Amino acid sequence: MKKPLRILTAAVLAVTSMLSHIPTVHADNPIVQTNYTADPAPMVYNDTMYIYTSHDLDGSTYFTMPDWKCYSSTDMQNWTDHGTVLSYTDFSWAEENTAWAAQCIERNGKFYLYVTLVPAATGGRAIGVAVADHPAGPFKDALGKPLCGPNWDYIDPTVFIDDDGQAYLYFGNPTLNYVKLNEDMISYSGQVNQIEMTTAAFGTRPDGDERHQTLYEEGPWLYKRGELYYMVYAASGIPENICYSTSPTPTGPWTFRGVIMPSGGGSFTNHCGIVDYRGKSYFAYHNGKLPGGGGFTRSVAIEEFTYHPDGTIPELSMTDEGPAQIEAVDPYIRNEAEKICWESGVETEKCSAGGMNVANIENGDYIKVKGVDFGGGATGFTASVASAESGGQIEIYLDSISGTKIGTCDVSGTGGWQNWEEVSCEISGAEGEHDLYFKYTGGSGFLFNVDWWQFSGAGSLPNADGHYFNSTFEKSEDSWTGRGSAVTAVTDKASLAGESSLYVSEREASWNGATKKLSTTHFKKGETYTFSAEVMQDEKLFVNFMMKLQYTDADGETQYDTIATTSAVKGQWAQLLNQSYTIPADATEMEVYIETGMSRTSFYVDEVIAALPDIAVDGSGSLTVRKADIDQNGKVNAFDLAFAKRGLVKGFPDLAAEAAADIDESDDVSVADVVQLVQFLMGQKDRFVIMTEEAAE
Ligand code: FUB
């Protein structure tokens, strides 16, 4: 018996077979290969990046678009498929296959998806709105009729809620229009406003006509960064590029700023969304780069970018690699089979056990999951599978589809495509971080479906070394992100071990450093842990570094607690280490972070370890600085005062002495340090006060 989903048209079969014959590539853009997706609308909610897309039917020769899909990621490389979250069939008033661009926004715990459709009764285009309680739906038409429209101008809604709570819905081709949404988000006040289409606002179209004098075409995307409002849009006619304008208010006056992404990539349209996630900025767009792709069979891709210091956006190219992975996948928790970096040949479908499952698996199909951290090693593998036929095998490889084979799991028939059973097998040779490949093998026809998978073994946490995590920055940033203005990136310019480290730059304040959220599954309030990190800077003679815990206390206030401090001499690695740090008894929402004293220097971080208490961590062996003990003889006394005074006047004998004399950790020795030392020696102070940027201002 065939699965219902397998009633496919000849055209679909043709494209599916094309997709299943793509070579073994490691490209990670476009982000979805199971469907043609277009018009991406990213949304960050609950520390997860969601992307809503429209959906080009396989083999389309026009914008034949039945529904909207949703995908999510926490690492920007592996995307979990949430399937179809809304369809034209959910709108009683809509014409078939007219489900064009959409955008979702959250307000007061509800999710509002604004969509473009053709109203069957009137023709033209209109904007509808659907509501859900969860970002992945199910969404329901909120009104039973269009929110606004119809005419051709009513396409491509973009929605934005300003700081004062006023929501704006912009849309339009080739004019740009907006309405002010009411707080209920499903009605609006006042009239539809048309933005004046001046060339100062949207650039000059060289071959323009009466309706197209500016570069603006369609697909607006509105957001605010700092005090500036950005309008990003498809421009220049066919083929479209992406341009942007900025304004001091959400309704203009807009000033044209230039091109972000030139046309290309095999699609004559483009349509983008921009969002910040975990301290980085992302640009989602579409092209025609998937096999069988083109102007009506488009695919969503993503690029990471950094704003220029003046807030302008750099010109971006379409890459096959996409953004850097921002955290490794934990294989020791249940992972959805439809969490995919790249696949060949498979499809996804709604799963009877909830969510989606991987389906239509045939001999030789595969799925790549990027950047999986096996830690100390996996010994077992379990997957939930179903098969109305006789099953097959899941062959498991590291690093490539023909890489190291770490196990093979046999799958038998389960009596139905949605009759789920767990199968397990032994695993060997999976340690550390690798790309993971599931290759499906068996006879002819469809083999089996997979709902989820999970590894087990010594690599589960804490691992055999007692580590909860060991961020080596060899393949990913392992969930470390910039704090404040700081930007983090894996770099091979410096490393303590391996080939790379985390580079922390663009720090506008000393508290702008690198941060990583701590999972409350492993890090428990009142319990004691080892924390260690290696830091290095090559800009100043020495810089004081702090490793701290940010947490929310019982009163809901944010608190900052020091875990370890060190001084890093220029060009040398220094260790931040505390083998017995107790997490405060009322701590929730914890982040461990690394910052500096007064300095805003860029710095490198490597080998960050969080482990069971009293775990030995091999450090860099760099110099150890004991604060105020300037002669480093183990005592703080009048000799240190004499050394401090002399050092101030004549210079210090070495960097260790100078760093020790920097009592307030301002990254410089000054009279203020000597005063603190005097007060300490006279018994007026029993501890040293650390200088902060705030205190200094
Ligand atoms: O996807 C259908 C249309 O193509 C969108 O509404 C436009 O923005 C263009 O991407």
Side-chain angles (χ1 to χ4, degrees):
M1 203 179 93
K2 296 270 179 198
K3 287 186 274 188
L5 264 187
R6 290 179 193 147
I7 305 164
L8 302 171
T9 63
V12 174
L13 281 170
V15 172
T16 306
S17 80
M18 260 188 281
L19 294 182
S20 63
H21 288 101
I22 46 183
T24 305
V25 289
H26 294 277
D28 304 315
N29 262 335
I31 63 167
V32 176
Q33 305 86 43
T34 44
N35 287 296
Y36 293 112
T37 53
D39 307 321
M43 177 187 80
V44 174
Y45 178 74
N46 220 357
D47 202 29
T48 300
M49 169 82 92
Y50 290 88
I51 288 211
Y52 298 84
T53 75
S54 54
H55 169 205
D56 289 337
L57 274 187
D58 294 358
S60 291
T61 51
Y62 182 60
F63 298 116
T64 312
M65 304 168 71
D67 47 32
W68 296 273
K69 309 272 183 193
C70 178
Y71 304 86
S72 71
S73 178
T74 54
D75 64 19
M76 299 307 292
Q77 277 288 334
N78 298 296
W79 291 88
T80 300
D81 189 337
H82 298 284
T84 299
V85 293
L86 187 68
S87 156
Y88 80 85
T89 56
D90 296 316
F91 295 89
S92 57
W93 48 272
E95 215 171 80
E96 186 183 11
N97 290 340
T98 59
W100 287 15
Q103 186 183 341
C104 186
I105 199 166
E106 183 266 344
R107 185 163 206 167
N108 299 329
K110 293 229 179 276
F111 299 85
Y112 298 88
L113 188 56
Y114 298 86
V115 303
T116 312
L117 285 158
V118 173
T122 57
R125 294 285 184 288
I127 291 170
V129 55
V131 190
D133 293 326
H134 185 272
F139 285 89
K140 282 201 169 65
D141 179 8
L143 298 171
K145 59 179 185 181
L147 170 66
C148 50
N151 72 41
W152 173 256
D153 276 341
Y154 291 81
I155 71 165
D156 295 353
T158 179
V159 60
F160 163 73
I161 303 172
D162 207 352
D163 302 337
D164 63 2
Q166 177 62 57
Y168 297 85
L169 184 76
Y170 267 87
F171 52 88
N173 169 333
T175 57
L176 183 57
N177 312 277
Y178 72 89
V179 291
K180 285 184 169 183
L181 290 172
N182 294 329
E183 174 128 23
D184 65 10
M185 299 297 277
I186 58 169
S187 62
Y188 62 91
S189 292
Q191 81 279 20
V192 175
N193 303 280
Q194 191 176 116
I195 296 287
E196 214 188 331
M197 303 306 286
T198 66
T199 54
F202 302 109
T204 309
R205 198 180 288 218
D207 53 351
D209 55 31
E210 209 183 320
R211 257 172 80 75
H212 301 89
Q213 284 181 356
T214 76
L215 292 175
Y216 176 85
E217 182 75 30
E218 58 183 0
W221 180 266
L222 173 65
Y223 68 100
K224 186 180 185 188
R225 181 174 183 266
E227 291 308 304
L228 206 55
Y229 296 82
Y230 289 72
M231 184 68 72
V232 190
Y233 44 87
S236 310
I238 288 177
E240 290 176 344
N241 57 11
I242 300 285
C243 291
Y244 76 116
S245 305
T246 60
S247 161
T249 81
T251 53
W254 295 99
T255 302
F256 182 65
R257 296 287 177 201
V259 175
I260 301 177
M261 179 169 273
S263 59
S267 163
F268 62 86
T269 65
N270 200 347
H271 189 123
C272 81
I274 289 184
V275 81
D276 278 3
Y277 177 56
R278 295 190 173 188
K280 298 189 182 301
S281 301
Y282 295 99
F283 178 88
Y285 62 100
H286 68 225
N287 59 31
K289 283 199 176 185
L290 214 58
F296 301 116
T297 43
R298 299 161 293 176
S299 289
V300 167
I302 299 184
E303 308 298 341
E304 183 182 324
F305 72 97
T306 305
Y307 288 90
H308 291 132
D310 65 358
T312 53
I313 302 175
E315 191 169 305
L316 303 174
S317 311
M318 301 181 183
T319 72
D320 290 340
E321 295 75 30
Q325 186 168 1
I326 57 179
E327 73 180 355
V329 174
D330 179 355
Y332 302 108
I333 58 171
R334 174 180 151 146
N335 282 282
E336 296 304 316
E338 65 275 13
K339 174 175 174 166
I340 296 169
C341 173
W342 193 267
E343 62 80 19
S344 172
V346 308
E347 295 194 17
T348 57
E349 65 184 14
K350 214 163 174 214
C351 178
S352 62
M356 304 286 284
N357 61 261
V358 171
N360 292 26
I361 293 173
E362 291 173 281
N363 183 37
D365 293 350
Y366 74 87
I367 285 177
K368 168 189 174 184
V369 183
K370 185 157 178 160
V372 179
D373 189 358
F374 291 97
T379 51
F381 172 82
T382 300
S384 178
V385 296
S387 176
E389 301 288 339
S390 55
Q393 293 84 38
I394 307 174
E395 296 181 10
I396 310 169
Y397 296 86
L398 298 184
D399 301 323
S400 82
I401 193 68
S402 53
T404 308
K405 192 178 196 179
I406 57 169
T408 300
C409 214
D410 291 325
V411 177
S412 310
T414 64
W417 295 112
Q418 292 290 327
N419 287 357
W420 299 101
E421 283 180 16
E422 290 179 21
V423 291
S424 295
C425 59
E426 286 184 5
I427 296 293
S428 68
E431 279 182 21
E433 197 172 324
H434 297 272
D435 294 342
L436 174 66
Y437 285 78
F438 297 114
K439 182 177 174 186
Y440 307 105
T441 53
S444 58
F446 295 129
L447 304 176
F448 51 87
N449 293 341
V450 189
D451 183 16
W452 55 263
W453 55 264
Q454 179 166 1
F455 287 82
S456 59
S460 49
L461 298 175
N463 67 15
D465 295 330
H467 295 175
Y468 288 95
F469 65 79
N470 181 359
S471 302
T472 60
F473 307 112
E474 289 309 300
K475 284 209 164 189
S476 77
E477 296 181 32
D478 195 18
S479 302
W480 286 86
T481 57
R483 200 160 181 260
S485 71
V487 171
T488 53
V490 168
T491 177
D492 58 6
K493 289 205 183 108
S495 69
L496 177 77
E499 282 167 12
S500 46
S501 64
L502 186 74
Y503 185 55
V504 187
S505 60
E506 299 193 29
R507 304 175 62 228
E508 286 171 9
S510 60
W511 64 270
N512 298 164
T515 187
K516 177 182 171 86
K517 286 197 165 59
L518 294 185
S519 127
T520 43
T521 317
H522 301 127
F523 297 93
K524 304 212 185 297
K525 43 189 162 191
E527 293 194 3
T528 303
Y529 299 86
T530 296
F531 283 95
S532 174
E534 296 281 346
V535 287
M536 195 270 274
Q537 57 85 26
D538 54 12
E539 292 176 26
K540 292 192 67 176
L541 280 181
F542 65 88
V543 167
N544 292 299
F545 282 88
M546 282 86 96
M547 180 190 261
K548 292 189 172 181
L549 185 80
Q550 175 182 312
Y551 66 95
T552 306
D553 69 10
D555 297 328
E557 301 288 326
T558 304
Q559 303 291 349
Y560 311 93
D561 193 30
T562 300
I563 300 172
T565 62
T566 191
S567 295
V569 168
K570 188 174 180 179
Q572 289 186 29
W573 288 94
Q575 188 177 18
L576 288 155
L577 176 65
N578 186 341
Q579 289 164 288
S580 180
Y581 175 73
T582 302
I583 292 178
D586 58 347
T588 55
E589 296 178 66
M590 294 173 278
E591 287 181 29
V592 62
Y593 65 94
I594 296 171
E595 63 178 16
T596 60
M598 294 285 286
S599 133
R600 299 173 187 185
T601 49
S602 299
F603 61 89
Y604 300 87
V605 182
D606 209 353
E607 299 300 315
V608 190
I609 289 173
L612 292 170
D614 299 318
I615 289 286
V617 183
D618 286 341
S620 52
S622 61
L623 97 170
T624 312
V625 174
R626 286 184 294 276
K627 282 291 144 202
D629 181 11
I630 298 160
D631 55 8
Q632 298 283 293
N633 69 350
K635 282 178 275 189
V636 176
N637 54 28
F639 289 108
D640 296 302
L641 182 58
F643 275 118
K645 284 184 183 160
R646 188 189 156 83
L648 254 185
V649 181
K650 298 198 167 167
F652 289 87
D654 56 42
L655 280 168
E658 191 170 352
D662 177 24
I663 289 168
D664 62 10
E665 300 188 6
S666 63
D667 300 340
D668 246 327
V669 182
S670 68
V671 174
D673 297 300
V674 178
V675 170
Q676 283 215 53
L677 185 50
V678 170
Q679 290 171 333
F680 179 81
L681 293 172
M682 289 176 68
Q684 292 169 352
K685 251 188 185 159
D686 58 4
R687 63 193 180 90
F688 298 118
V689 177
I690 310 260
M691 177 63 74
T692 61
E693 270 196 340
E694 294 75 38
E697 270 159 14

